Amino acid sequence: MPTPLYVFDMDETLINADCAMIWNTFLVEKGIVTDTGFIDEDQRLMGLYAEGKLDMEDYLNFSMAPLTAMPKADVDALVAECVESHILALQFNQSKALIAQLKRDNIDMVIISASVTFLVQAVGRRLGIPVALGIDLVESNNCYTSQISGVPSYREGKVTRLNQWLAAQEKDYSEVHFYTDSINDLALCEHADFAYLVNPCPRLRAHANQPNWTVLSWD
């Protein structure tokens, strides 16, 4: 019997939105961020991400600045509130059904996202996917910093991080099925045995005519 592994990007793939942008807007709503230009700068940086041109260190220096003096437990509590109140309702219906089916079939699942780990894991827990890989951050004085720990799960780094995770497992997976919307994940699409392009961006869709690649329309 084959042992498949299902791997999911998070933003615009499982969730019909970008969770990091929702989180940053939430920080403004809660009064934790008071800089009037914060959301505009977030949108500018995410525009670069969509084009595959984002410098992840620049993004993390910007997005983590409001949080580096806040205890980790307080950040994690805010993230849990944000996921419940702002993110869960935006899950694609098709991703709900697929996750439920894979659980019934006892098929393992992993989320791998270019968002920070504390956000990815919080979303993964509520979606029922316990293994969630994100960008790990160095911690200092019980606070998150903006400094990346290890290989960031971004672009080609997603392949590295997935391979590191696979190497640490006792189970041998016969095939990797990967779902994403983004050109940033082209390397992992090419690495996987099967790729599923969920409402893909135009640049990723341009690569879609390949064996074992499927374009999906989710709502």
Side-chain angles (χ1 to χ4, degrees), residues 18 20-21 23-25 27 32-33 38 41-42 45-46 54-68 75 114-116 118-119 135 137 144-147:
D18 185 284
M21 294 185 78
W23 166 241
N24 285 337
T25 302
L27 292 176
I32 291 156
V33 173
F38 186 78
E41 177 63 6
D42 187 40
L45 290 166
M46 293 314 295
L54 178 67
D55 182 303
M56 188 54 70
E57 289 184 0
D58 287 349
Y59 175 76
L60 291 171
N61 286 333
F62 158 77
S63 63
M64 289 300 300
L67 304 174
T68 52
V75 175
S115 293
V116 290
F118 64 73
L119 180 57
I135 294 182
L137 299 175
Y144 295 110
T145 74
S146 62
Q147 187 180 346

Side-chain angles (χ1 to χ4, degrees), residues 26 29 51 53 80 84 89 108 117 122 130 134 147 169 211 216 218:
F26 178 79
E29 289 174 6
E51 296 172 19
K53 297 176 181 175
E84 291 294 332
D108 292 341
T117 298
Q147 187 180 346
Q169 306 310 304
L216 302 173
W218 283 10

Side-chain angles (χ1 to χ4, degrees), residues 28 33-45 62:
V28 173
V33 173
T34 55
D35 177 359
T36 56
F38 186 78
I39 296 300
D40 286 343
E41 177 63 6
D42 187 40
Q43 291 174 343
R44 185 189 74 81
L45 290 166
F62 158 77

Side-chain angles (χ1 to χ4, degrees), residues 90-107:
L90 300 174
Q91 184 179 4
F92 282 113
N93 291 321
Q94 292 89 338
S95 86
K96 286 182 191 175
L98 177 58
I99 290 168
Q101 181 62 55
L102 293 171
K103 283 186 141 183
R104 285 193 294 271
D105 294 341
N106 291 315
I107 291 173

Side-chain angles (χ1 to χ4, degrees), residues 12-196:
E12 313 286 359
T13 299
L14 294 173
I15 304 292
N16 186 21
D18 185 284
C19 295
M21 294 185 78
I22 293 173
W23 166 241
N24 285 337
T25 302
F26 178 79
L27 292 176
V28 173
E29 289 174 6
K30 299 292 280 189
I32 291 156
V33 173
T34 55
D35 177 359
T36 56
F38 186 78
I39 296 300
D40 286 343
E41 177 63 6
D42 187 40
Q43 291 174 343
R44 185 189 74 81
L45 290 166
M46 293 314 295
L48 292 175
Y49 173 82
E51 296 172 19
K53 297 176 181 175
L54 178 67
D55 182 303
M56 188 54 70
E57 289 184 0
D58 287 349
Y59 175 76
L60 291 171
N61 286 333
F62 158 77
S63 63
M64 289 300 300
L67 304 174
T68 52
M70 185 182 292
K72 276 176 50 187
D74 292 354
V75 175
D76 293 343
L78 281 168
V79 170
E81 180 186 345
C82 178
V83 172
E84 291 294 332
S85 62
H86 288 59
I87 292 175
L88 282 182
L90 300 174
Q91 184 179 4
F92 282 113
N93 291 321
Q94 292 89 338
S95 86
K96 286 182 191 175
L98 177 58
I99 290 168
Q101 181 62 55
L102 293 171
K103 283 186 141 183
R104 285 193 294 271
D105 294 341
N106 291 315
I107 291 173
D108 292 341
M109 293 175 273
V110 174
I111 296 175
I112 184 162
S113 169
S115 293
V116 290
T117 298
F118 64 73
L119 180 57
V120 184
Q121 288 184 341
V123 174
R125 276 192 295 271
R126 292 298 285 113
L127 298 188
I129 302 178
V131 179
L133 308 177
I135 294 182
D136 295 331
L137 299 175
V138 174
E139 297 172 13
S140 176
N141 299 320
N142 206 36
C143 297
Y144 295 110
T145 74
S146 62
Q147 187 180 346
I148 297 169
S149 174
V151 176
S153 48
Y154 175 50
R155 297 176 64 86
E156 292 79 5
K158 280 195 178 183
V159 178
T160 303
R161 288 290 300 282
L162 180 62
N163 284 339
Q164 288 173 343
W165 183 85
L166 288 168
Q169 306 310 304
E170 293 181 358
K171 190 181 291 188
D172 285 327
Y173 295 98
S174 58
E175 55 192 39
V176 170
H177 297 250
F178 178 52
Y179 288 70
T180 186
D181 69 294
S182 174
I183 187 62
N184 290 292
D185 291 336
L186 180 60
L188 189 46
C189 288
E190 292 173 340
H191 180 75
D193 299 289
F194 298 89
Y196 305 88

